[in-house]
Amino acid sequence: MADDFEVKGLKELDEKLDGLAADMQWKILKSAGMNATKPLLDEVKATTPRATDDKAIAAREKKGRKPLHEVMRRWSESGEKGEDDIGWIHVGHRSKKHWWAVMLEEGTDKITPRGWMRRAMDNNVNTILKRLTIALQKRIAKFEKTGK
């Protein structure tokens, strides 16, 4: 019965998802993952290094780049379609104009690492897991009741 379904581990989750169509599995996992990563996105945006130098801001604007905290997003992708189809949720930036975000995160020989994305993940990992568990339980139960 759906009401007493509880995610206790990956084995139970895998058994529950195996009973669903592949596209529904992806839909449930994607929406639960997007919901679970919201606190991470919020912290990454809030702690993103920001340029305070007027010269740096003017140079960025001249090149048509938005500030890094404005381009932080969540997006999902699926792997190869097939038997072992997997998906994942990214939190960060996708813009080729913001390639330097990795240098701020990890550092270079001239830039000390800022590590704001790693810190945000470390601070939110337990919250993400709790939210993911609750979202999966709700979405699977809803699907079992309505079929949607």
Side-chain angles (χ1 to χ4, degrees):
M1 192 164 179
D3 294 331
D4 44 329
F5 165 64
E6 192 173 334
V7 176
K8 293 187 178 192
L10 292 178
K11 182 180 176 188
E12 291 85 3
L13 176 61
D14 202 30
E15 288 171 0
K16 204 64 169 172
L17 289 173
D18 275 345
L20 306 174
D23 61 330
M24 191 50 60
Q25 290 176 18
W26 172 240
K27 185 177 178 180
I28 288 171
L29 289 170
K30 177 183 170 184
S31 70
M34 293 295 274
N35 176 288
T37 56
K38 174 94 173 75
L40 175 61
L41 176 66
D42 293 343
E43 186 168 336
V44 165
K45 280 184 171 186
T47 59
T48 299
R50 290 174 165 84
T52 55
D53 177 15
D54 291 338
K55 208 173 181 183
I57 293 170
R60 178 189 67 223
E61 288 172 354
K62 184 178 179 183
K63 292 179 182 176
R65 287 189 276 184
K66 291 183 177 181
L68 192 54
H69 68 278
E70 289 183 15
V71 297
M72 290 294 168
R73 302 271 184 270
R74 286 175 297 173
W75 68 96
S76 61
E77 296 180 18
S78 68
E80 295 295 320
K81 297 289 180 204
E83 206 173 288
D84 296 325
D85 189 19
I86 59 168
W88 50 91
I89 306 291
H90 298 274
V91 176
H93 72 92
R94 294 183 83 168
S95 172
K96 290 181 181 176
K97 293 181 181 178
H98 293 87
W99 51 267
W100 43 267
V102 175
M103 291 194 289
L104 288 175
E105 174 70 18
E106 297 178 5
T108 67
D109 56 344
K110 296 180 182 177
I111 301 173
T112 57
R114 308 266 175 92
W116 84 98
M117 287 190 268
R118 176 81 244 166
R119 227 176 359 263
M121 183 61 188
D122 290 344
N123 292 344
N124 286 288
V125 68
N126 291 327
T127 303
I128 291 169
L129 291 174
K130 285 177 191 169
R131 287 175 62 108
L132 182 63
T133 301
I134 292 166
L136 284 170
Q137 290 170 340
K138 286 180 180 178
R139 282 165 176 77
I140 291 172
K142 178 184 174 190
F143 177 76
E144 288 180 339
K145 285 181 184 176
T146 65
K148 296 180 187 177

